[in-house]
Amino acid sequence: MSTRIVGMFVATVCIAHAAFAGGDRVDVRGMGMARTSAAAARGLDAVGVNPANLAMKDNTLTLSLAPIGVHAGSDFLSYGLYNEYFTGVETGNGRVGKYLDEPDKQKILDAFRGGVGEVTADAAYRLVGLTVQLESVGGFAFTITDNLSGIARIPNDYVRFILYGNTPGSVYDFGRTSAKVSWLREYALSFGGTIPHPAFMQWLSLGAAIKLVEGYGYYEVERFNTSLTTSDNGILVGRVGYLARLAGLDPTRDGSGFSWSPFGQRAFGHGTGFDIGVAGGIGGFMTVGMSMTDIGQVNWEEGIEETYADTTLVVDDPREVQDGTIIENALRGKKRAGTPFSRSLPTTFRAGAAVQVEKLVDWIPGELVVAADYTNGLADAPGTTLYARFSLGMEWKLLQFLPLRTGVSFGGTDRTNVAFGFGLHFGVFDLDLATENLDLLWGGDSVTHGSVAIGTRFRF
């Protein structure tokens, strides 16, 4: 059977809409510390992470200038796997396809965690970021942030089909295929202030944020009950059943009318979100923090279109099977106007601790912060993950104008990451850069993800 059928499955229902490809990516300092921020974040970096940290001493006024962070990758397709099996072999007549033996095929299939691979893409851009700290009250922040996030889950049966074809007796089940992509803008007002504390703590703070959320685009594959079975006598039975939903404009489609503007963009969904958090100091050298962010949902009300299919195909002509047109037509499905629906924001739980090491060890030069976090998504939504994530991070200010950051994380969609970042701080002006995928420099064939973040701000 033609392998373009697999392309129809994947490209049409998983990848085509991933141009809307968010979260805590604008915390550039945190990204340099492997996103270890629940207790370590300060000022604007605490927004969207732990609002209780706004109560900690910071500059009276800070203003950020369009920080941006991006991240993309997959948990099954490494750079080495791609080069070894998908780019061909160099010969005297140019590159030719690589012949795969059985161990090669099994190696590719085993790369899918639990038989299903994930492709993720996130980007965040903060249009406005402002904090004000009042010594006797606490810290306030106002931010406007765009989050673009996408995740696609792809069963390895797609690859198994490409490798083995529809041989007699074969069964391919694509039922675990799914995709979710969103583009949201949040207008957030955050506050953190101190509250009475128990005797064993030096201070305790409570924080909260309220967010008005506008939704510009959302795409999902809600169900994909699709399989291909070939009997021993070569008759193909295809069960095609799926429902995909699009709300808003589709920038991947010609003539969609899509355009972007920082303000005045038309919204197709509206919602409300909340962040809550708590933080405290212990012994004058340790800070602990815990938060839950993006509690709420978006109601998608306009521009809703559904693509669906529910059919069974029986193909007994090998020529029709080889051509693949009849199956491709079934996969295209039909379109209809959709009804309003609601989807959860990327609700995320964080807990962590940060230690100011130079307050414990006299011989440490400069200022050294070492932190640890546990993070876990509580909603199956773009911008978070249900895989638990542990991270360790540090920031060393041997020179006050040149903070150096690094960290390592385990779990999540990236499995294992090494982060690095630094800042150039000159009086009232800061420039910060970071990546949580430093292994891009040395990881070679094992690289599966990439990220970068940059931000500037004024401090007064």
Side-chain angles (χ1 to χ4, degrees), residues 190-408:
S190 308
F191 170 74
T194 58
I195 58 175
H197 58 86
F200 69 90
M201 302 185 74
Q202 286 200 336
W203 55 271
L204 183 65
S205 66
L206 188 66
I210 183 170
K211 303 176 179 181
L212 299 180
V213 183
E214 292 187 340
Y216 298 136
Y218 183 85
Y219 177 80
E220 68 177 6
V221 177
E222 183 177 281
R223 61 178 175 85
F224 203 77
N225 304 323
T226 300
S227 63
L228 298 175
T229 302
T230 303
S231 67
D232 291 338
N233 58 7
I235 297 176
L236 174 71
V237 177
R239 292 178 175 84
V240 180
Y242 69 85
L243 175 62
R245 184 178 289 112
L246 170 69
L249 297 175
D250 180 1
T252 67
R253 186 171 57 197
D254 293 337
S256 65
F258 171 81
S259 63
W260 182 88
S261 62
F263 298 100
Q265 186 82 20
R266 182 187 175 190
F268 295 85
H270 303 273
T272 305
F274 302 91
D275 298 347
I276 56 174
V278 62
I282 300 175
F285 62 89
M286 176 182 289
T287 302
V288 293
M290 184 169 59
S291 69
M292 191 175 299
T293 58
D294 291 312
I295 306 166
Q297 65 181 25
V298 177
N299 303 312
W300 296 95
E301 302 154 349
E302 299 181 66
I304 302 170
E305 179 182 85
E306 294 179 348
T307 304
Y308 66 99
D310 284 290
T311 187
T312 298
L313 302 174
V314 179
V315 185
D316 56 7
D317 187 339
R319 291 172 297 181
E320 290 184 353
V321 175
Q322 184 65 32
D323 178 74
T325 302
I326 188 172
I327 301 176
E328 289 181 9
N329 290 337
L331 288 174
R332 289 194 181 97
K334 301 178 181 178
K335 295 186 183 297
R336 66 189 179 196
T339 57
F341 63 98
S342 300
R343 291 295 179 265
S344 174
L345 292 172
T347 311
T348 304
F349 172 80
R350 297 176 177 86
V355 175
Q356 202 75 41
V357 179
E358 79 279 358
K359 293 183 179 181
L360 287 173
V361 183
D362 293 339
W363 53 265
I364 293 291
E367 299 177 9
L368 177 62
V369 176
V370 177
D373 271 15
Y374 167 82
T375 306
N376 201 2
L378 303 179
D380 187 11
T384 191
T385 175
L386 298 176
Y387 292 117
R389 182 176 182 274
F390 300 88
S391 61
L392 298 170
M394 61 177 289
E395 179 185 62
W396 189 23
K397 292 183 180 179
L398 178 61
L399 303 173
Q400 285 295 318
F401 76 91
L402 184 64
L404 301 175
R405 301 151 187 150
T406 189
V408 61

